[in-house]
Amino acid sequence: MDMAKGLPGRIRRLLSPAAAAAGILLTLTGCTAEGRTPPSGDAAAVIAPGRPGEEARTLSPEEAARSRPDDSPNAADRAYMRHMVEHHEQAIRMTALAPDRASKDAVRRLAERISAAQAPEIAVMRAWLARHPGPVGAGADGGHDHGAMPGMATEQQLKELEAARGADFDRLFLTLMTRHHEGALTMAGEVLKGGNNAAVEELANEVVATQSAEIHRMRAMG
């Protein structure tokens, strides 16, 4: 199954190595911006859209490559993607308990929506990490304590959630998941300040938009 199917288009683009250029440069195989056919033997023309009020420029592939901004992943990008995989995995572990334990249909539906959104994002983040492993040794967390990641529930809290039933489960689930989402917003804010990769920025912005709305919903339910 394609785990990325159903994701917003800007998130699915994380799985396409050629995606970064698609929104900026349009490659033409047979004509220029003015509709003229390039001279025989010329490489495909590339149109670089101008700023508002400015005309588009026709560039050679080499010029287009040089004009693209450098969004090479940095340490902040890689750390965010590694840590968010684990952050999302814990959220899915929590949502998996809801069908048999929650007393409210609204809580079960919320858990289902969270799982449906975050499982494909995990696949996207793992695919990104496979393409951008970084220098040898860069995958290490440098002693980072995963339990200290913002919003992560402790093992004791997870055991309490697993043991809870009915209204007690609903209340504890909403409390822990709200805190979990708030931690995800903190992590997204950090990478938006310190990261450099456009694809990571798009994912972080998507996390902010989705989880902010879910926090509002959970607070209203609580």
Side-chain angles (χ1 to χ4, degrees):
M1 183 177 68
D2 181 1
M3 293 300 291
K5 186 176 181 181
L7 281 170
R10 59 186 179 275
I11 300 304
R12 288 199 305 272
R13 291 207 305 272
L14 282 162
L15 296 177
S16 171
I24 302 173
L25 303 175
L26 173 63
T27 301
L28 305 180
T29 59
C31 60
T32 65
E34 293 78 17
R36 297 191 302 272
T37 301
S40 177
D42 282 2
V46 179
I47 291 182
R51 296 177 181 177
E54 295 181 355
E55 294 184 358
R57 295 179 298 147
T58 301
L59 308 175
S60 70
E62 293 76 15
E63 290 171 331
R66 289 195 299 269
S67 70
R68 287 176 55 187
D70 179 12
D71 71 341
S72 301
N74 61 17
D77 293 315
R78 293 187 177 91
Y80 174 76
M81 296 297 253
R82 290 197 310 272
H83 297 160
M84 280 304 292
V85 166
E86 182 170 349
H87 209 267
H88 274 23
E89 285 176 340
Q90 186 180 85
I92 290 177
R93 177 180 172 185
M94 294 163 67
T95 60
L97 300 174
D100 297 330
R101 292 168 173 78
S103 65
K104 296 181 180 178
D105 286 340
V107 172
R108 285 191 287 269
R109 289 195 300 269
L110 173 67
E112 183 178 0
R113 284 194 296 269
I114 291 172
S115 180
Q118 295 196 19
E121 287 180 351
I122 289 174
V124 168
M125 290 186 285
R126 285 177 172 161
W128 185 95
L129 287 165
R131 289 200 308 274
H132 305 288
V136 175
D141 287 329
H144 179 82
D145 179 4
H146 284 182
M149 277 192 289
M152 290 285 279
T154 65
E155 282 301 317
Q156 179 60 37
Q157 289 171 327
L158 292 174
K159 289 178 181 178
E160 292 173 0
L161 183 65
E162 186 173 356
R165 296 291 188 281
D168 289 339
F169 176 88
D170 295 346
R171 183 165 48 253
L172 185 55
F173 177 84
L174 292 173
T175 297
L176 294 179
M177 191 60 75
T178 297
R179 189 178 305 151
H180 201 267
H181 276 29
E182 290 170 343
L185 298 188
T186 297
M187 294 168 68
E190 291 172 351
V191 78
L192 288 172
K193 291 179 181 178
N196 188 63
N197 184 252
V200 175
E201 179 182 353
E202 290 181 357
L203 178 62
N205 280 323
E206 182 67 22
V207 167
V208 169
T210 301
Q211 299 203 20
S212 293
E214 289 173 348
I215 287 172
H216 179 75
R217 186 176 297 116
M218 288 188 288
R219 287 173 175 166
M221 291 168 61

